[in-house]
Amino acid sequence: MADAPFLAYGRQVIEDDDLAAVAQALRADFLTTGPRVAQFEAAFAEKVGARHAIACSNGTAALHLAMLGLGVGPGDVVIAPTLTFAATANCARYQGAEVVFADVDPDTGLMTADTLAEAMTRIGGRPLKAVLPVHLNGHAADLPALKRVAEAAGAPLVEDAAHAVGTAMTFDNVPERVGDCRHSALTCFSFHPVKTLTTGEGGMVTTNDDALAQRVARLRSHGIVREPADFVDPEIGFDGEAPNPWAYEQQALGYNYRLPDVLCALGLSQLAKLDRFVERRRQLAQRYNELLPALAPLVRPVAQPWTSRSALHLFVVLIDFTAAGQTRRQVMEALRAKGIGTQVHYIPVHRQPYYRALYGEQTLSGAEAYYARCLSLPLQAGMADGDVDRVVGALGEVLGG
């Protein structure tokens, strides 16, 4: 096995039809702000079951656009789980809002109704503008339960679904899909290369609210309005009653968060294969689940909530490093020496120096317990079953050594 290829924890799957789609887009008239953007948005909205989808430059931009769309600003509070990537909290800070970090379940890493309710006790009378549940590792959070708690405080949910494109779930015997926004105002996706489908860099916001969709779409491109019916300055917009063909109005302070046509072409090609990619990830996860009991009790997979049929962006195990007599660094380095890449998802955001300086020291025990044990093993749609056997075998050797 010495010459076996290195297995990263995550990697894109790019096939010949993806290359052909990008090449065709490169030969087209529009490399950006052209027809493939609308095509990708329409196809994605249909796939997840939302009324609207707005493509943008990356997942962080999607989250920021969600905050902009909801009018989050100075003096407001949002609640986000601390067990996530920093962007979930940063998107509110960009707007001058404060972040209250919720703890998570120590075994799943997910924010729960109880941890959300506890976080609400630390708001201190400030207005709660939004709650941002994270579908960690691709596993769906309990949206109905979270919505009940958030709604009682007058706050909408904004789903951080960066890990969860393709995830399905069942609540009250009703099949749903992450992104359909049945319980949330907006859902935000990422198409980074390690995600289940990729556009290189890219993101998407979905919503069922017509006004929110229009606002997010305009803020994605400098807050510019091009529809004559919505112009507010007749001198700029019209020659008599006829609209000026060059006219546009900047009606708000927006950003350049556009996703180019060439990347939307890749997204369309990848989206057509999403079900295959998700099914393959589930098959690989099943193989892990068949083999990992041999390493118990030192190692156990993070369990999926029973409501979630996860797209499995990550395959995470919880390891008792103390009982193994090794640090996580030692385990990761030993695995890397065997050609296996691993990663840690995530350092709790409340422990990051920026947020510690802002809010002081905090103790969130569930997140700390999860972080202390978690390790992301390789999971890619292009992996073979034998690759899983190789990972589990190497992990057993490292922990047994």
Side-chain angles (χ1 to χ4, degrees):
M1 297 296 288
D3 58 350
F6 184 81
L7 273 176
Y9 85 87
R11 189 181 188 279
Q12 70 276 7
V13 174
I14 300 295
E15 299 171 328
D16 287 346
D17 56 346
D18 300 312
L19 299 176
V22 171
Q24 185 179 28
L26 287 169
R27 296 186 185 100
D29 292 334
F30 294 92
L31 294 184
T32 191
T33 62
R36 284 174 174 80
V37 180
Q39 292 166 11
F40 184 35
E41 290 172 336
F44 192 87
E46 181 178 3
K47 187 67 176 176
V48 302
R51 185 176 302 159
H52 303 282
I54 302 97
C56 56
S57 53
N58 52 63
T60 301
L63 288 163
H64 188 200
L65 285 167
M67 298 296 97
L68 288 163
L70 292 174
V72 173
D76 293 330
V77 170
V78 306
I79 293 177
T82 189
L83 213 296
T84 184
F85 184 59
T88 314
N90 292 349
C91 67
R93 292 296 301 150
Y94 296 155
Q95 294 303 105
E98 302 300 329
V99 181
V100 171
F101 290 108
D103 204 356
V104 299
D105 181 275
D107 294 324
T108 67
L110 295 171
M111 181 168 66
T112 68
D114 288 342
T115 64
L116 172 57
E118 188 282 324
M120 285 183 175
T121 68
R122 294 184 270 116
I123 292 174
R126 297 168 293 180
L128 178 63
K129 199 71 172 183
V131 173
L132 283 76
V134 174
H135 301 305
L136 189 69
N137 308 326
H139 304 337
D142 188 345
L143 294 173
L146 293 170
K147 182 181 181 181
R148 284 192 290 272
V149 177
E151 206 169 43
L157 298 185
V158 175
E159 299 173 60
D160 183 340
H163 288 192
V165 60
T167 288
M169 57 273 192
T170 302
F171 296 122
D172 297 324
N173 294 318
V174 177
E176 304 181 21
R177 286 168 284 178
V178 167
D180 64 18
C181 296
R182 295 192 191 191
H183 309 284
S184 61
L186 306 116
T187 304
C188 303
F189 293 90
S190 167
F191 305 134
H192 183 276
V194 296
K195 301 304 196 299
T196 306
L197 74 82
T198 187
T199 58
E201 286 280 5
M204 192 76 77
V205 181
T206 61
T207 183
N208 294 326
D209 185 307
D210 297 345
L212 261 180
Q214 182 184 71
R215 179 169 170 78
V216 168
R218 289 175 175 176
L219 291 168
R220 167 187 60 180
S221 190
H222 299 286
I224 285 175
V225 174
R226 298 185 183 277
E227 299 84 3
D230 295 331
F231 287 168
V232 297
D233 186 339
E235 185 176 348
I236 290 177
F238 297 90
D239 178 6
E241 294 185 359
N244 291 321
W246 68 86
Y248 63 89
E249 294 182 348
Q250 182 192 338
Q251 296 182 356
L253 182 62
Y255 295 79
N256 182 355
Y257 281 164
R258 297 187 295 263
L259 187 65
D261 277 57
V262 66
L263 299 186
C264 288
L266 176 57
L268 278 163
S269 180
Q270 290 264 301
L271 184 63
K273 299 180 282 192
L274 176 61
D275 292 345
R276 170 161 62 89
F277 288 166
V278 169
E279 184 55 33
R280 183 59 187 148
R281 285 173 175 269
R282 289 172 178 160
Q283 291 169 356
L284 293 165
Q286 179 59 34
R287 184 64 179 161
Y288 270 122
N289 288 327
E290 291 168 359
L291 297 177
L292 282 168
L295 305 184
L298 287 180
V299 181
R300 64 182 177 86
V302 170
Q304 291 190 48
W306 69 269
T307 54
S308 176
R309 182 159 165 74
S310 177
L312 288 154
H313 162 53
L314 299 170
F315 190 89
V316 181
V317 293
L318 302 178
I319 301 176
D320 188 339
F321 293 103
T322 301
Q326 299 182 66
T327 66
R328 181 161 47 195
R329 176 192 60 79
Q330 290 171 328
V331 171
M332 292 178 74
E333 290 181 352
L335 287 171
R336 187 170 188 84
K338 294 176 178 290
I340 294 167
T342 56
Q343 190 52 276
V344 175
H345 297 90
Y346 293 98
I347 301 170
V349 184
H350 76 275
R351 292 184 55 172
Q352 295 293 348
Y354 170 81
Y355 285 103
R356 290 169 70 181
L358 195 62
Y359 299 130
E361 298 293 337
Q362 301 181 61
T363 300
L364 296 170
S365 59
E368 299 284 356
Y370 183 96
Y371 168 62
R373 298 173 292 156
C374 67
L375 190 67
S376 299
L377 302 181
L379 185 66
Q380 312 165 18
M383 284 171 52
D385 288 358
D387 292 325
V388 176
D389 295 39
R390 176 184 159 203
V391 172
V392 175
L395 183 59
E397 292 172 4
V398 168
L399 293 176

